[in-house]
Amino acid sequence: GENVEQHPSTLSVQEGDSAVIKCTYSDSASNYFPWYKQELGKGPQLIIDIRSNVGEKKDQRIAVTLNKTAKHFSLHITETQPEDSAVYFCAASMTPSGTYKYIFGTGTRLKVLA
Amino acid sequence: ETGVTQTPRHLVMGMTNKKSLKCEQHLGHNAMYWYKQSAKKPLELMFVYNFKEQTENNSVPSRFSPECPNSSHLFLHLHTLQPEDSALYLCASSPSRSSGAEETQYFGPGTRLLVL
């Protein structure tokens, strides 16, 4: 079945350094790739997304890249800050039956060390 | 806040109890979702409703019973649960695909469920 692999499962970086999280998806029909940040005690919050007709998207310190041929997409956080510490999830979207079905990765716990 | 609220935020129940989780979205969306989040596992899609009609049931045991009375409200009725059902239950909403709108799902804060 469809799946999304996410690596690494944990990531520790020094404040100010960059962090990169990578995902690989299996279904070539996927065409929308959101990234969510989940802080302790909260639900996932969308931080950035990318569609299959775009190779890269940037929003301030956050960027996402997509390689459709290789079925890879990555989250890049530059100049990390302690408040970036959280669990990050990638997802690949399919569109059966009129709604959007997400397949999620297993999450990456990011720790930014002050 | 994302505009999706869930109550209660925490719930402890015995295996013979019956309880319900509630989700409400204030975003004008037409699709609503229930997910189960367990430690070290991907978010698991349970149910999908589109314009109040259930469009997906991801092989969820019958001890979980969803209800969607209108596009703004979603319930998950629980009965005779097992300890392995303890998890964070997340509700999400999105515009319907047929509307041609963005497909982003917006999540609520979740209900932390403990089954004893």
Side-chain angles (χ1 to χ4, degrees):
Chain A
E2 311 92 358
N3 74 295
V4 173
E5 293 187 3
Q6 183 172 347
H7 299 282
S9 56
T10 60
L11 178 61
S12 293
V13 300
Q14 288 295 133
E15 182 178 0
D17 287 351
S18 295
V20 180
I21 303 170
K22 299 182 179 181
C23 289
T24 304
Y25 60 99
S26 61
D27 191 333
S28 57
S30 297
N31 59 4
Y32 174 68
F33 307 91
W35 284 90
Y36 287 85
K37 174 184 181 182
Q38 187 173 22
E39 297 175 296
L40 195 63
K42 297 184 179 180
Q45 301 290 310
L46 179 76
I47 56 171
I48 196 166
D49 55 12
I50 192 168
R51 298 189 180 282
S52 57
N53 58 348
V54 175
E56 183 174 359
K57 184 177 178 180
K58 190 173 181 180
D59 182 3
Q60 299 183 344
R61 298 186 296 108
I62 296 173
V64 56
T65 58
L66 172 65
N67 182 330
K68 278 214 74 180
T69 302
K71 291 189 279 187
H72 289 169
F73 58 114
S74 300
L75 177 71
H76 305 254
I77 306 174
T78 59
E79 301 172 23
T80 54
Q81 301 167 5
E83 52 265 37
D84 294 328
S85 297
V87 180
Y88 291 81
F89 293 95
C90 63
S93 176
M94 303 166 59
T95 55
S97 63
T99 55
Y100 300 109
K101 177 179 178 179
Y102 287 4
I103 305 297
F104 280 90
T106 49
T108 296
R109 184 173 299 278
L110 173 65
K111 297 181 183 177
V112 179
L113 307 172
Chain B
E1 292 299 319
T2 61
V4 181
T5 58
Q6 289 186 243
T7 55
R9 294 293 312 275
H10 301 273
L11 179 62
V12 179
M13 58 187 292
M15 290 189 284
T16 58
N17 292 158
K18 291 183 180 181
K19 297 287 184 182
S20 296
L21 309 185
K22 179 182 177 182
C23 175
E24 183 173 1
Q25 59 95 1
H26 313 274
L27 301 170
H29 292 163
N30 291 305
M32 296 188 78
Y33 310 75
W34 278 117
Y35 286 89
K36 177 182 179 182
Q37 186 175 34
S38 305
K40 300 186 178 180
K41 293 176 70 174
L43 274 74
E44 300 172 56
L45 180 65
M46 300 175 72
F47 302 103
V48 182
Y49 278 82
N50 191 34
F51 290 97
K52 302 188 297 178
E53 298 298 318
Q54 187 179 132
T55 57
E56 184 138 356
N57 176 337
N58 233 20
S59 303
V60 180
S62 59
R63 58 186 183 269
F64 295 91
S65 175
E67 178 189 1
C68 189
N70 55 61
S71 292
S72 298
H73 294 85
L74 185 64
F75 295 89
L76 188 62
H77 303 298
L78 316 172
H79 63 99
T80 59
L81 293 192
Q82 305 299 311
E84 58 265 30
D85 297 322
S86 299
L88 181 69
Y89 289 85
L90 291 161
C91 172
S93 72
S94 72
S96 168
R97 178 187 181 193
S98 60
S99 71
E102 295 293 315
E103 60 192 286
T104 303
Q105 292 183 21
Y106 296 89
F107 285 83
T111 295
R112 175 72 61 184
L113 174 66
L114 177 62
V115 181
L116 300 176

